[in-house]
Amino acid sequence: MAKGAVVRRVDPEPRVRRGYFECRFGQLHVHNAIPPGGGFEEGTSLLCLHPATASGRIFERLALLMGRERSVYAPDIPGLGESDPPPSHLTIADYAGAIGDFLDSMRFRQIDLLGYREGATIAAELTIERATQIRRAVFVSPPVLDDTEREAFRRAATPVSPTEDGSHLTAEWHRVLGAYPPGIALEIRTRAFAERLRNGSHAGWMAAAALQYPAHERLPLVSVPALVVRLKDEFWEAASRARELLPKARFVDMPEHGNGVFEAAPDAVCDPIRGFLRA
């Protein structure tokens, strides 16, 4: 090495694992990133909860960034991804209970939460019910809907009902294309399309539960430090209503990013989240 040369320090990558855990609805599939130091001097673990149309896989790239300093867990919500389905329609409190089973099995004394879109309603409910266990909460695009929006989302049911001639596949594909802003890689949209097909009707179950969630009544009960990240997506306006419900929360608006930010630009959304969790 030449004298005076600058040596760049390269942070080692976290170890990425997957596993199954028991919950009240069967087995819960969990994606996990573990700091390379083996748990020494790491920050509070982070649990990430995905939207109705996705799975814990959506947080893969975020976990690689956050997992350098803390353990990151991203479960597939019951009925979605590779987790067992519930026997019938659930409420958000039911979904929160199943995730709570995982927290109990891991015996976390404290943990931080991140919920994205419908996952933010589950994160809110967990934060309320486990205020002594949840240290900080991050709500990304929380769906604080009014009656008009709730009815509009109900009419646009997810997913499109299957048809024998396969025409529903074209309809679902065009809906996926329309949900993402220009510039999002076709590969990302293709993966989102595949996730929607795999999740099937159970995605609709979770979405319906989120539509029924009384956010205006429940969010004011959140007592832990909270960060709200607004993305330029379908919930841009809805998420702004959280300002009145969470007056002590920190807000970060990201109008330059929308659907696909966790896959296409994880650094952009990671920076404010990391700063908040480190505070």
Side-chain angles (χ1 to χ4, degrees):
M1 182 181 296
K3 185 177 181 180
V6 176
V7 178
R8 290 177 178 250
R9 179 177 177 271
V10 178
D11 292 331
E13 292 293 311
R15 292 173 292 156
V16 177
R17 300 289 186 270
R18 294 185 299 158
Y20 283 92
F21 299 82
E22 295 299 321
C23 76
R24 63 194 63 188
F25 302 119
Q27 290 195 306
L28 192 74
H29 180 247
V30 180
H31 307 259
N32 179 213
I34 307 167
F40 297 101
E41 298 181 358
E42 67 176 81
T44 303
S45 296
L46 175 65
L47 180 78
C48 302
L49 301 172
H50 62 81
T53 54
S55 72
R57 190 183 298 274
I58 198 174
F59 298 114
E60 277 184 343
R61 296 189 65 189
L62 179 74
L64 288 176
L65 296 172
M66 300 293 293
R68 293 170 181 167
E69 61 192 42
R70 69 185 70 235
S71 291
V72 180
Y73 300 88
D76 295 343
I77 305 300
L80 307 180
E82 296 180 41
S83 289
D84 287 343
S88 60
H89 286 255
L90 303 179
T91 65
I92 289 301
D94 294 327
Y95 285 114
I99 301 302
D101 293 339
F102 168 69
L103 298 183
D104 290 340
S105 69
M106 295 294 291
R107 299 182 180 180
F108 290 114
R109 290 185 178 180
Q110 280 201 316
I111 192 167
D112 293 332
L113 289 186
L114 183 156
Y116 179 26
R117 295 168 66 93
E118 292 89 352
T121 62
I122 300 175
E125 195 63 20
L126 276 167
T127 301
I128 296 166
E129 296 298 328
R130 294 172 175 255
T132 59
Q133 187 179 26
I134 308 306
R135 189 186 70 103
R136 289 176 175 251
V138 179
F139 306 120
V140 181
S141 293
V144 187
L145 306 174
D146 61 25
D147 291 340
T148 300
E149 292 165 337
R150 189 173 290 108
E151 182 57 32
F153 281 111
R154 185 176 289 113
R155 287 198 302 269
T158 300
V160 175
S161 299
T163 57
E164 196 166 315
D165 64 0
S167 58
H168 68 289
L169 299 175
T170 300
E172 192 67 56
W173 173 244
H174 284 292
R175 186 153 71 170
V176 169
L177 292 179
Y180 286 83
I184 295 296
L186 186 60
E187 179 183 356
I188 292 174
R189 290 178 285 175
T190 302
R191 283 181 54 171
F193 175 65
E195 289 274 30
R196 287 176 182 240
L197 294 183
R198 179 172 65 169
N199 289 340
S201 61
H202 292 110
W205 290 14
M206 181 179 170
L211 289 178
Q212 296 168 8
Y213 185 67
H216 291 83
E217 300 171 16
R218 300 299 285 170
L219 281 182
L221 301 179
V222 171
S223 59
V224 307
L227 168 69
V228 177
V229 179
R230 293 176 69 217
L231 301 177
K232 193 67 173 180
D233 58 13
E234 299 94 322
F235 297 139
W236 173 255
E237 293 299 330
S240 68
R241 300 186 189 107
R243 293 184 186 275
E244 297 181 4
L245 306 176
L246 296 168
K248 295 182 179 180
R250 185 183 305 180
F251 279 76
V252 173
D253 291 348
M254 302 183 69
E256 68 278 17
H257 295 289
N259 287 329
V261 66
F262 283 102
E263 302 104 310
D267 292 85
V269 73
C270 179
D271 286 344
I273 292 171
R274 178 185 282 132
F276 171 71
L277 296 182
R278 283 177 174 172

